[in-house]
Amino acid sequence: MARNNTYNVGDVIRKLMKNPKLAEKLDKLDALQIWNEIIGEALREYITDQSLSKDILYVKLKSSIVRNELSYKKTEIKNQINKRLGKIVVNEIILK
């Protein structure tokens, strides 16, 4: 007789989220998504690369003017990201 291997999707996701490495990677993806939402579509065209390593968000920009403007708002943006995630994921933003 065949076994019934059906699981509730919610239960599977909760079990996967208990894995600290997976949860950390998902937090990083969420942080990058929130970063993109905060800066908006107009500024996104000046970004050539972005990544989150450990707790540092690295952003490479095409424009020194945009980099200068964002440097004044780094603390505010970092606080918004962490507040929306409900925990500290980003401790520093480095603009290159």
Side-chain angles (χ1 to χ4, degrees):
M1 180 181 278
R3 292 178 36 185
N4 187 0
N5 287 332
T6 59
Y7 298 98
N8 182 343
V9 173
D11 292 338
V12 172
I13 291 172
R14 277 188 282 285
K15 187 172 183 176
L16 288 172
M17 289 301 295
K18 289 180 183 177
N19 180 336
K21 289 184 180 181
L22 180 61
E24 182 181 330
K25 288 188 185 296
L26 291 174
D27 287 341
K28 287 179 180 182
L29 288 174
D30 288 342
L32 288 172
Q33 181 180 356
I34 293 168
W35 157 261
N36 284 315
E37 290 171 7
I38 290 171
I39 63 165
E41 193 172 322
L43 292 179
R44 251 184 272 149
E45 71 181 56
Y46 294 101
I47 295 174
T48 59
D49 191 28
Q50 59 189 5
S51 64
L52 187 61
S53 178
K54 304 207 184 224
D55 58 354
I56 301 172
L57 176 59
Y58 296 94
V59 181
K60 191 179 279 188
L61 298 155
K62 297 184 222 180
S63 168
S64 60
I65 296 168
V66 174
R67 182 175 50 248
N68 191 39
E69 287 296 318
L70 285 174
S71 69
Y72 293 116
K73 299 181 180 188
K74 287 192 317 186
T75 303
E76 179 185 334
I77 293 170
K78 176 186 72 164
N79 292 338
Q80 285 181 20
I81 292 170
N82 291 330
K83 183 178 179 182
R84 286 178 59 181
L85 289 172
K87 59 183 162 181
I88 297 174
V89 176
V90 177
N91 277 325
E92 187 178 353
I93 299 174
I94 295 180
L95 304 170
K96 298 179 181 181

